[in-house]
Amino acid sequence: MLTLYTGAGAVPLQIDDYYVKELASGIDELCFSISIWDDAYPQIQEEASIREESPDGAANYLVKAIDGGKSSANIKCQLDLDEWKTAIYVGYNSGSKTVGEVVADILPTGWTLSNQSGISYRRTIHMDAPTPLEILEMCRSTYNGITFRFDNIARVVTIVNMTTGQNLGAFATRDLNLKKNDYKGKSTGFATRLYAYGKNGLTFADINGGKPYVENHSYSDR
């Protein structure tokens, strides 16, 4: 079941034919089509929130691309991980740590960690000015075989070791499993906050109420 959330409240979407793509990055995608004559269609805007619920659980997504055709529109959504993008670590240096220790240090407020990686070796990560989500992506290439699964309802991130998984016998063919759409509208580069840093860590926090960033929410309150 899909539910669209707007400023006016919850709007159930009468759509049964949708699918969720579980990506290796953990940032899953929700895709569906809707008639352009559907009463709910005008309310589906980029960055709108959609909740998907099934017997397997629930998750919140953000609309990232809308491709409107003559009679229907293809909607592409991405798992809502905005809470993993609101902070920034200037001159990030993790120190020599396990992947569990790295992730535990950057958890957004209210999130908890389930470490199922079984990894005890240590690595050091250096990055210029990453968000917590970008640090997780660097962890994927630094600690062999790990990835992340996100439960953004319960606010739990799980570290998964793919090298210890079992073969489920699934397969993909061009005709059976894979779908590709061309999208006209995209908000994957969407941002409402800009940080500025100068030499020796110089910021404009002293003249901006202690904030080293500026914000513009004229497009979205996210």
Side-chain angles (χ1 to χ4, degrees):
M1 183 176 76
L2 302 182
T3 305
L4 170 69
Y5 288 89
T6 69
V11 180
L13 300 179
Q14 305 304 314
I15 297 171
D16 295 323
D17 186 16
Y18 67 86
Y19 60 97
V20 173
K21 294 197 293 186
E22 292 190 0
L23 302 183
S25 65
I27 309 176
D28 296 345
E29 294 177 349
L30 166 70
C31 303
F32 63 92
S33 296
I34 185 171
S35 168
I36 63 172
W37 312 114
D38 192 300
D39 290 342
Y41 176 61
Q43 302 179 69
I44 301 177
Q45 304 292 329
E46 290 166 3
E47 296 304 310
S49 180
I50 293 180
R51 175 170 294 192
E52 186 269 335
E53 297 176 272
S54 71
D56 296 327
N60 292 327
Y61 294 83
L62 296 175
V63 176
K64 292 296 180 179
I66 302 172
D67 181 10
K70 293 182 179 179
S71 60
S72 64
N74 295 320
I75 312 298
K76 182 178 179 180
C77 309
Q78 193 176 78
L79 196 66
D80 183 357
L81 296 176
D82 273 4
E83 292 179 318
W84 288 84
K85 302 176 184 178
T86 57
I88 188 169
Y89 293 85
V90 178
Y92 178 75
N93 183 340
S94 68
S96 180
K97 294 180 179 178
T98 66
V99 64
E101 291 170 338
V102 171
V103 177
D105 285 345
I106 61 170
L107 286 174
T109 301
W111 281 73
T112 57
L113 168 65
S114 174
N115 186 358
Q116 300 179 15
S117 68
I119 289 177
S120 59
Y121 62 81
R122 297 173 177 271
R123 295 288 185 270
T124 300
I125 295 176
H126 297 274
M127 301 179 73
D128 290 335
T131 64
L133 191 61
E134 289 170 333
I135 294 173
L136 294 191
E137 184 61 25
M138 182 60 71
C139 285
R140 291 183 61 237
S141 59
T142 302
Y143 299 89
N144 184 47
I146 66 103
T147 191
F148 300 93
R149 302 304 304 165
F150 300 91
D151 182 341
N152 61 6
I153 302 296
R155 290 182 172 177
V156 178
V157 58
T158 302
I159 308 176
V160 179
N161 192 332
M162 294 186 294
T163 63
T164 60
Q166 295 181 344
N167 186 347
L168 300 179
F171 63 95
T173 70
R174 180 180 299 275
D175 296 329
L176 177 62
N177 297 83
L178 304 182
K179 295 184 179 181
K180 185 179 186 301
N181 297 305
D182 294 321
Y183 293 92
K184 298 177 182 177
K186 294 184 178 180
S187 63
T188 50
F190 172 79
T192 58
R193 180 179 293 179
L194 174 66
Y195 289 80
Y197 290 91
K199 187 177 181 180
N200 298 322
L202 177 67
T203 75
F204 47 69
D206 291 343
I207 59 172
N208 191 39
K211 298 178 180 180
Y213 57 82
V214 291
E215 293 179 298
N216 186 329
H217 292 284
S218 59
Y219 178 74
S220 170
D221 61 358
R222 303 194 69 82

